[in-house]
Amino acid sequence: MRFNKKQWSWIFYDWANSGYGIIVTTAVLPVYFKSVAQNSGVSQANATAFWGYANSFGTLIVSILAPVLGALADYPHHKKKLLTSFSFLGILMTFGLALLPPNQWQILLAVYILSIIGYSAGNLFYDSFLTDVADNSRMDSLSSNGYAYGYLGGVLAFILFLVLQLTSGFGMLSSYGVARWSFFLAAIWWLIFFVPLLKNVQQVYSLPENPHPITSSFKRVWETITHLRKYKAAAWFLVAYFFYIDGVDTIFTMATSIGMDMGITTTTLMLVLLVVQLVAFPFSILYGWIANHFSARKGILLAIILYFGICLYALKLETAKDFWILAVLVGTSQGGIQALSRSYFGKLIPKDSGSEFFGFYNILGKFSAVLGPVLVGIVTQITGKSTIGAASLSVLFLIGLAIFMMLPRLTKE
């Protein structure tokens, strides 16, 4: 399917912040943080738990703000301003990670939390721009390609990091120095590839101008909450999404820490993550094809079932080979489930209030990510095994699957 300039510019924002996603959230900062924390006397289990708690706290802040921010973005010209503001917060805080000395693990977590706020809130407005750049017939393909090219961009950024890692910064950097330069790379990558969206994408759908947009946004959010029965299909979808995306996000943020607890070397973890990104690129596009030829609903059901199996498989993780298998399985569905969830929801909501509704979409998606890492952290601390913590997420996929399967009674695509 061909895309126009505006649609490609939208896709490239996913490419832009993919460097942050893989380098900061997934690959480098978890390893860097655990090393810094353990060198300061923090136990391995507690370092894993603190990493989960930091992710939870950052996403909690965005979750609280998301509906009102989304409602505010529905007024003319507000969506891009908010996207820009939060994106630059994320970019600046990522630069901050690069500048901090490698012995301040508490400050490191604080700066990381601020970067999460910028990254997560920016994605709220990016997601809501989907309704401005595509009609219903193109949403599944565009959303799937957004995730696909996001993974491809992540691969390229990650390869640049691996060059630094494998050459020790061409013989000039310590392992800590390589990590800090990788954060600089993620920030620059985000900044450069954000430019096409800034230049070419404009808000199409909006509510009439309001002299008091902030006050009005609070009122609209309350009205939407009290009248959700009018949007029954969207409301039930959000409940299902709350549970299953919790597992998806938690696996994404905790995978590296779990691998380290299994004794897998840092180099192997880096290669695993690279392969996951490579696998996710074609499979995200494949999920778009499934949606176009069957339905987005069937694609989402397939992904939830696969993730449920992935969580159960975590119980038998013992060797690096087991971890490789698990990682590849995650790569086959990680992008697809997120892409089709985004486009499926985009078809259910009124477009002139799209950002407000995507605010609820993000509050449930991000608030669920508050619970998931905490669940993994608590179960890991109780059992002493992070693999059991990962397996506990299967309950969330099962609940999400049960609720999502009821949706055909409420709506048809």
Side-chain angles (χ1 to χ4, degrees), residues 194-398:
F194 181 27
V195 172
L197 188 150
L198 284 175
K199 291 179 60 178
N200 302 318
V201 177
Q202 303 299 328
Q203 185 173 351
V204 174
Y205 297 102
S206 64
L207 296 172
E209 191 71 71
N210 189 294
H212 307 289
I214 296 177
T215 302
S216 178
S217 295
F218 277 99
K219 290 180 179 178
R220 284 176 45 227
V221 168
W222 178 247
E223 290 173 359
T224 300
I225 291 173
T226 56
H227 294 89
L228 273 177
R229 69 174 66 93
K230 292 165 46 180
Y231 311 102
K232 186 179 291 188
W236 275 106
F237 170 77
L238 288 176
V239 175
Y241 178 74
F242 173 85
F243 287 101
Y244 72 71
I245 208 64
D246 185 348
V248 174
D249 287 342
T250 304
I251 290 172
F252 179 76
T253 55
M254 302 296 290
T256 303
S257 292
I258 292 169
M260 290 182 68
D261 290 346
M262 292 176 59
I264 297 173
T265 66
T266 300
T267 300
T268 300
L269 285 173
M270 299 302 103
L271 292 174
V272 169
L273 290 168
L274 178 61
V275 170
V276 169
Q277 301 287 305
L278 288 170
V279 170
F281 171 62
F283 274 91
S284 295
I285 295 175
L286 175 62
Y287 268 92
W289 181 89
I290 290 172
N292 287 334
H293 287 77
F294 300 96
S295 70
R297 174 184 172 273
K298 291 180 180 178
I300 294 170
L301 284 172
L302 173 62
I304 295 174
I305 292 169
L306 286 173
Y307 261 106
F308 179 75
I310 287 168
C311 290
L312 296 183
Y313 184 79
L315 288 171
K316 72 177 294 294
L317 288 179
E318 295 180 356
T319 66
K321 179 182 178 181
D322 296 329
F323 191 79
W324 272 98
I325 293 172
L326 186 75
V328 171
L329 289 173
V330 169
T332 63
S333 297
Q334 181 173 280
I337 194 170
Q338 294 179 90
L340 296 188
S341 295
R342 179 170 61 186
S343 57
Y344 188 90
F345 185 67
K347 297 173 187 177
L348 297 176
I349 60 176
K351 289 183 171 54
D352 59 356
S353 299
S355 293
E356 179 189 358
F357 277 81
F358 267 105
F360 285 101
Y361 178 85
N362 275 267
I363 191 174
L364 290 176
K366 298 306 178 185
F367 188 70
S368 69
V370 173
L371 302 179
V374 170
L375 175 62
V376 173
I378 291 173
V379 174
T380 298
Q381 286 184 306
I382 291 173
T383 65
K385 293 184 178 181
S386 55
T387 54
I388 298 178
S392 68
L393 297 172
S394 61
V395 175
L396 301 177
F397 285 108
L398 187 62

Side-chain angles (χ1 to χ4, degrees), residues 29 32 91-104 107-108 111 176-185 187:
L29 187 57
Y32 180 72
I91 291 168
L92 289 173
M93 290 303 103
T94 306
F95 276 120
L97 294 173
L99 298 176
L100 281 173
N103 60 354
Q104 302 288 337
I107 298 175
L108 188 71
V111 173
Y176 281 176
V178 169
R180 293 167 70 187
W181 271 99
S182 74
F183 305 146
F184 180 79
L185 168 65

Side-chain angles (χ1 to χ4, degrees), residues 134-176:
D135 58 27
N136 285 358
S137 66
R138 296 177 67 86
M139 279 189 190
D140 291 328
S141 291
L142 185 62
S143 185
S144 297
N145 275 269
Y147 272 100
Y149 281 94
Y151 286 121
L152 184 59
V155 166
L156 295 179
F158 194 57
I159 288 173
L160 293 177
F161 157 72
L162 285 178
V163 171
L164 289 176
Q165 172 80 3
L166 297 175
T167 64
S168 297
F170 301 101
M172 296 183 290
L173 297 173
S174 66
S175 59
Y176 281 176

